């Protein structure tokens, strides 16, 4: 089966490459010529561990190719994925579907045989049906079906999440398209991966429901951390105890400065927006959005308080600025709020992040340092913002020697209170008090 993947971002490139490693012939299409030329040489435009090797091997075996020629790709494919971005609109909670409909229009004009069009992008409920009507109107002769196939890939572990998913979700309206999708995911269903077939709307909503629920878990444990600090409990133990209940599960119960990334923020807002459009509300999700926004400012205050109530004219070292480890993605990262807030309070920021190239284009007046120790040299305090492995075994004696004052604010609880305090640091962490 030949597959066209329209969009070579975090989702499209990973999905297309993984499908090609199943043996399908995959043509990845993008309108960014420079990106395509780079990909043809094996240059990967995103930071995703293992993707370079997978692209290279499938390119070499001729199963994977890259082009800007969407029409030519569609004309030779049975399946066409639309994996273009659906960001939030400027100053709005609504998802922007411009890229999606532009791609759908180009595909509609190119269809010349039965084609299954797969909406891989995260889209508000009802979009697949709108796309179907739009394609029919654009090309009344087109013989096609539209299916929904939301992704559940985490950046930094996207290949693993594709190859060993908890489930594959497919919204399909016809037996014909269902069979094509069944064939596409046969390599996974043969490994006992559940492939759940449902309606278009259910598939679309299941993606938002999953992400919003995970975001809710994160905000819940972060608020329990605040309470733990007040009442002397240990939120790490609470998280463990809760996670041992199989009905709760241990994932997304790790405290931090709030969730970021390209999905949780966008998807919670989009869900809230279209719930209201459908005349109902998801007030729980509204509360999560507010709680997460407030948390980032709250963390800046925590840093200032740990520095004696002021960071004016102080040097603050920040370790980790991306939205999570193992990615270069800075979208909606907590650092985008916390660093400017500390700068507004008079701090000068020295930062280190193992994948800071994207962040360095975004932040102003930040001094970037190649390693944690250089960032901490002469610092009045160090903030561990993101739990990169590179920060998990810092030499406290060396840090104490090179820092101006031994103050550490650990927003991801990567260390134990005892080990840091016994190294002579004033140590602030999340939800553990002095336990
Ligand atoms: C998420 C969903 O997990 C994935 O299924 C979906 O397809 C895309 O969105 P992603 O945004 O890449 O994936 O990363 P994820 O690992 O889920 O983390 C999202 C944010 O939550 C990050 O900022 C992370 O630091 C934070 N987080 C995650 C926590 O604060 N605590 C946790 O326990 C887990």
């Amino acid at each position: 089966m030949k597959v066209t993947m329209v969009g070579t971002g975090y989702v499209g490139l990973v999905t297309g490459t993984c499908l090609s490693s199943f043996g399908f012939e995959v043509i990845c299409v993008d309108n960014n010529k420079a990106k395509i030329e780079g990909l043809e040489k094996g240059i990967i435009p995103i930071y995703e561990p293992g993707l370079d090797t997978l692209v290279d091997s499938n390119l070499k075996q001729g199963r994977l190719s890259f082009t800007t020629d969407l029409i030519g790709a569609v004309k030779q494919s049975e399946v066409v994925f639309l994996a273009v971005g659906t960001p939030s609109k400027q100053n709005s909670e609504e998802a922007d579907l411009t890229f999606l409909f532009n791609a759908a229009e180009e595909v509609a004009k190119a269809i010349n045989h039965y084609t299954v069009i797969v909406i891989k992008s995260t889209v508000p409920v009802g979009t697949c049906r709108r796309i179907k009507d739009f394609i029919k109107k654009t090309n009344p002769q087109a013989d096609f079906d539209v299916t929904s196939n939301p992704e559940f890939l985490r950046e930094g572990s996207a290949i693993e999440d594709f190859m060993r998913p908890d489930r594959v979700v497919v919204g399909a309206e016809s037996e014909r398209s269902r069979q094509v999708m069944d064939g596409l995911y046969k390599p996974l269903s043969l490994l006992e991966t559940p492939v759940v077939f449902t309606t278009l709307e259910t598939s679309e909503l299941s993606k938002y429901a999953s992400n919003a629920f995970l975001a809710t878990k994160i905000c819940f444990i972060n608020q329990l951390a605040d309470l733990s600090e007040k009442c002397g409990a240990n939120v790490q133990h609470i998280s463990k105890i809760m996670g041992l209940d199989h009905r709760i599960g241990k994932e997304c119960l790790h405290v931090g400065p709030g969730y970021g990334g390209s999905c949780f923020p966008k998807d919670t807002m989009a869900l809230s927006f279209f719930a209201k459009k459908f005349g109902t509300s998801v007030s729980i999700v509204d509360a999560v959005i507010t709680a997460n926004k407030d948390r980032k400012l709250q963390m800046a205050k925590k840093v200032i308080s740990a520095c004696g109530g002021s960071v004016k004219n102080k040097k603050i070292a920040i370790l980790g600025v991306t939205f999570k480890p193992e990615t270069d993605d800075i979208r909606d990262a907590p650092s985008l709020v916390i660093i400017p807030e500390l700068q507004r309070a008079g701090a000068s920021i020295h930062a280190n992040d193992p994948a800071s190239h994207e962040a360095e284009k975004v932040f102003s007046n930040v001094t970037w340092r190649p390693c944690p120790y250089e960032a901490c040299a002469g610092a009045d305090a160090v903030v561990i913002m993101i739990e990169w492995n590179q920060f998990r075994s810092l030499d406290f004696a060396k840090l104490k020697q090179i820092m101006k004052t031994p103050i550490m604010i650990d927003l991801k609880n990567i260390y134990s209170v005892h080990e840091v305090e016994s190294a002579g640091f004033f140590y602030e962490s999340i939800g553990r008090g002095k336990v």
Side-chain angles (χ1 to χ4, degrees):
M1 191 173 351
K2 255 195 187 181
V3 177
T4 287
M5 180 64 62
V6 179
T8 59
Y10 284 94
V11 174
L13 185 54
V14 170
T15 305
T17 307
C18 290
L19 285 172
S20 74
S21 62
F22 284 168
F24 299 113
E25 194 179 333
V26 179
I27 310 164
C28 289
V29 176
D30 203 295
N31 55 17
N32 180 324
K33 197 164 180 302
K35 190 193 255 192
I36 290 295
E37 284 167 356
L39 282 163
E40 284 177 311
K41 293 179 218 138
I43 299 167
I44 310 300
I46 58 172
Y47 183 109
E48 185 59 55
L51 186 57
D52 50 354
T53 317
L54 208 57
V55 166
D56 189 48
S57 63
N58 285 289
L59 258 178
K60 287 202 172 92
Q61 292 175 59
R63 288 196 294 259
L64 182 63
S65 60
F66 298 97
T67 181
T68 55
D69 174 17
L70 182 145
I71 294 171
V74 170
K75 287 191 183 309
Q76 50 181 307
S77 299
E78 288 78 39
V79 179
V80 177
F81 278 84
L82 300 186
V84 294
T86 54
S88 304
K89 282 184 179 172
Q90 282 290 346
N91 307 319
S92 158
E93 293 184 328
E94 187 178 10
D96 183 348
L97 303 178
T98 310
F99 301 129
L100 185 70
F101 276 86
N102 290 346
E105 183 171 20
E106 284 192 74
V107 170
K109 290 174 181 165
I111 291 173
N112 63 359
H113 59 279
Y114 177 66
T115 307
V116 175
I117 293 157
V118 187
I119 308 301
K120 175 58 79 175
S121 305
T122 302
V123 293
V125 175
T127 303
C128 288
R129 212 166 286 286
R130 283 179 57 205
I131 290 277
K132 177 183 161 188
D133 296 342
F134 176 73
I135 292 175
K136 212 174 271 180
K137 201 170 75 184
T138 309
N139 179 356
Q141 283 70 45
D143 179 16
F144 72 100
D145 277 307
V146 171
T147 66
S148 162
N149 179 219
E151 52 86 15
F152 297 96
L153 309 178
R154 290 166 298 165
E155 289 185 36
S157 53
I159 294 171
E160 171 76 12
D161 289 346
F162 185 94
M163 295 298 192
R164 269 168 285 288
D166 292 328
R167 73 307 203 191
V168 173
V169 176
V170 177
E173 281 201 302
S174 74
E175 186 50 33
R176 209 176 173 195
S177 61
R178 181 188 166 118
Q179 281 177 18
V180 168
M181 297 304 288
D182 193 44
L184 202 60
Y185 286 107
K186 186 64 80 187
L188 289 177
S189 52
L190 287 174
L191 297 173
E192 307 297 312
T193 298
V195 181
V196 180
F197 285 93
T198 184
T199 64
L200 295 178
E201 285 76 14
T202 306
S203 173
E204 291 166 327
L205 186 53
S206 67
K207 164 71 181 176
Y208 286 99
S210 301
N211 267 9
F213 187 74
L214 295 172
T216 303
K217 282 185 85 176
I218 291 165
C219 283
F220 182 81
I221 200 67
N222 281 337
Q223 291 197 336
L224 262 287
D226 294 343
L227 174 56
S228 298
E229 285 176 10
K230 300 288 183 201
C231 67
N234 181 317
V235 75
Q236 271 181 317
H237 295 178
I238 289 172
S239 167
K240 183 174 169 55
I241 292 161
M242 286 175 67
L244 288 168
D245 183 325
H246 70 278
R247 295 167 301 172
I248 298 174
K250 65 182 193 318
E251 298 298 332
C252 285
L253 281 181
H254 304 293
V255 295
Y259 61 74
S262 63
C263 296
F264 285 177
K266 151 177 89 70
D267 294 351
T268 46
M269 290 197 292
L271 175 59
S272 172
F273 182 87
F274 70 72
K276 293 184 186 89
K277 260 182 81 172
F278 282 104
T280 178
S281 97
V282 281
S283 56
I284 291 175
V285 177
D286 293 338
V288 164
I289 294 167
T290 304
N292 194 61
K293 273 196 187 114
D294 294 348
R295 182 159 192 81
K296 297 173 182 176
L297 288 169
Q298 184 194 340
M299 292 298 104
K301 290 195 179 91
K302 189 183 191 70
V303 172
I304 294 169
S305 148
C307 293
S310 167
V311 291
K312 194 168 172 47
N313 301 324
K314 290 183 180 174
K315 178 178 168 182
I316 305 294
I318 302 282
L319 303 187
V321 292
T322 53
F323 86 91
K324 61 184 273 193
E326 296 309 320
T327 184
D328 61 352
D329 200 341
I330 188 79
R331 286 175 287 185
D332 267 302
S335 58
L336 291 170
V337 171
I338 296 171
I339 287 179
E341 197 60 24
L342 294 175
Q343 289 173 319
R344 261 193 293 279
S348 74
I349 303 294
H350 286 235
N352 167 256
D353 183 296
S356 63
H357 44 279
E358 289 305 319
E360 292 181 30
K361 298 174 197 163
V362 169
F363 286 99
S364 44
N365 301 322
V366 168
T367 305
W368 297 98
R369 290 282 177 233
C371 82
Y373 299 101
E374 290 196 39
C376 290
D380 294 273
V382 54
V383 180
I384 297 176
M385 185 94 70
I386 299 297
E387 68 281 23
W388 281 91
N389 287 332
Q390 289 85 334
F391 307 143
R392 288 183 184 277
S393 52
L394 294 172
D395 177 341
F396 296 131
K398 183 175 174 185
L399 276 183
K400 195 158 182 292
Q401 207 179 4
I402 60 176
M403 286 179 69
K404 195 168 163 202
T405 41
I407 296 173
M408 180 181 283
I409 302 100
D410 181 358
L411 298 182
K412 294 301 288 187
N413 286 351
I414 62 175
Y415 292 112
S416 78
V417 175
H418 174 70
E419 69 179 314
V420 184
E421 287 192 341
S422 49
F425 277 78
F426 173 80
Y427 180 59
E428 266 293 326
S429 64
I430 305 269
R432 297 183 296 179
K434 293 298 166 202
V435 181

